[in-house]
Amino acid sequence: PPSFFLAAMVTLVCVASAAVLFVVARRPRAQRDRRRSIGMYHCCRSIARVGIECHTSYSKCCECLGGNACHAPFGKYVLLSGAFNFPAVTCAAFSFVGPDVRECTAAPLPTLCGVDVALGLAHFGAACYLQRRLLAAISAAHGPAGWKGIAPKELKRQANGVIMFDHGFRLYICVFVGSFALQCVGFTWINACDPDSQLPWAATILLAMFGLVAVGFFCLWFMALECGACLDNLAEDVMCEAHAAEHALARAPMAGASWARQMGSYPGHAAEETEPLFRL
């Protein structure tokens, strides 16, 4: 009967599992630890290899696009903006000329697709604009190549100046918030029209995801700058303490000689000729 075969299969699986557990338990602990360590080593090496390959590919892309555009501050944000917005612009443009979208009367879906084309280009243009403004501020303070090796504290100060006092960035904030709100409303418009093509969905999803990713990028970027500034301040405090200790050790023989003259250990030196214990 089927139930008999089912019970036999379950019993066989249980017996095989028990046998495997018994063999593993009988294996010496040192051998198990060695196998586990080897497995972790191979896993970490594979992850490192993938990271190296990704970094190599990223460097090659930067060389094709221009090194400053990638390695300068906000370079990764420019690439991120292009990765989201260019596909969104392409999908929105093809959707705008599609007959299933232009014939929709239930919702202003053609308007949404046309505005998405403009918004995608505006997002990428704003990313390039922010990078150029930040590089201009750094160049004015530290020279044309001042961004190469700039301290996180100084980079944070320059970025805060651009964000707080640049009128173009203030205008883009309004466009950014309006773009995200429009994409949230656009989902209901696409659902109302129900076009045959999936390109309107792709364009709207990409622009909405870009809004979330951009906010996350800025938060992580400023957190990294803050951590770097804290580490720089800590390093400066440690260096100051080290220099103070070195200065004290260098002055120690002079202090000992002054104490000896004051106590009369050196013949021919009066007490009024003594020097202070430490020279500041």
Side-chain angles (χ1 to χ4, degrees):
S3 58
F4 172 77
F5 289 106
L6 180 61
M9 291 295 295
V10 172
T11 304
L12 182 62
V13 170
C14 293
V15 171
S17 302
V20 171
L21 292 176
F22 178 76
V23 172
V24 172
R26 291 292 300 275
R27 184 182 299 172
R29 182 178 181 84
Q31 186 178 3
R32 295 201 306 269
D33 294 342
R34 182 173 178 272
R35 289 181 178 273
R36 188 180 299 112
S37 300
I38 292 174
M40 293 178 63
Y41 166 74
H42 286 294
C43 180
C44 294
R45 189 176 66 173
S46 300
I47 295 174
R49 186 178 303 167
V50 171
I52 293 173
E53 291 178 357
C54 292
H55 179 72
T56 303
S57 302
Y58 172 75
S59 300
K60 290 181 179 179
C61 293
C62 287
E63 292 177 359
C64 295
L65 298 175
N68 293 348
C70 296
H71 300 297
F74 275 172
K76 295 180 177 61
Y77 179 73
V78 173
L79 292 179
L80 184 70
S81 176
F84 274 91
N85 290 293
F86 283 146
V89 168
T90 303
C91 294
F94 279 103
S95 301
F96 182 76
V97 298
D100 54 345
V101 173
R102 298 187 65 87
E103 295 175 358
C104 177
T105 57
L109 186 57
T111 304
L112 174 66
C113 295
V115 172
D116 282 349
V117 173
L119 288 174
L121 297 176
H123 286 317
F124 184 75
C128 297
Y129 171 78
L130 289 176
Q131 187 187 39
R132 290 180 64 86
R133 291 292 298 165
L134 181 59
L135 290 178
I138 295 174
S139 299
H142 303 281
W147 60 269
K148 297 180 179 179
I150 186 173
K153 185 176 181 180
E154 178 64 17
L155 180 58
K156 179 187 173 185
R157 188 179 71 84
Q158 297 293 344
N160 287 335
V162 173
I163 291 174
M164 296 296 295
F165 303 107
D166 189 77
H167 298 290
F169 180 78
R170 296 176 182 176
L171 179 62
Y172 175 65
I173 289 295
C174 300
V175 175
F176 183 85
V177 175
S179 172
F180 186 77
L182 179 63
Q183 306 314 311
C184 295
V185 177
F187 288 125
T188 60
W189 293 353
I190 299 173
N191 194 23
C193 289
D194 194 16
D196 297 332
S197 175
Q198 300 299 322
L199 293 179
W201 286 105
T204 307
I205 290 173
L206 284 172
L207 288 177
M209 288 181 61
F210 172 74
L212 299 175
V213 172
V215 172
F217 179 89
F218 271 94
C219 293
L220 293 177
W221 192 70
F222 274 99
M223 286 176 61
L225 290 182
E226 188 66 32
C227 293
C230 291
L231 291 177
D232 287 345
N233 293 333
L234 181 62
E236 290 177 1
D237 294 341
V238 172
M239 291 298 295
C240 289
E241 292 179 0
H243 286 306
E246 185 179 357
H247 182 73
L249 290 175
R251 292 293 183 179
M254 184 180 298
S258 301
W259 178 80
R261 288 196 299 269
Q262 195 172 16
M263 296 299 295
S265 299
Y266 288 172
H269 290 79
E272 60 271 14
E273 297 179 358
T274 59
E275 298 180 1
L277 186 62
F278 287 101
R279 294 181 178 179
L280 299 179

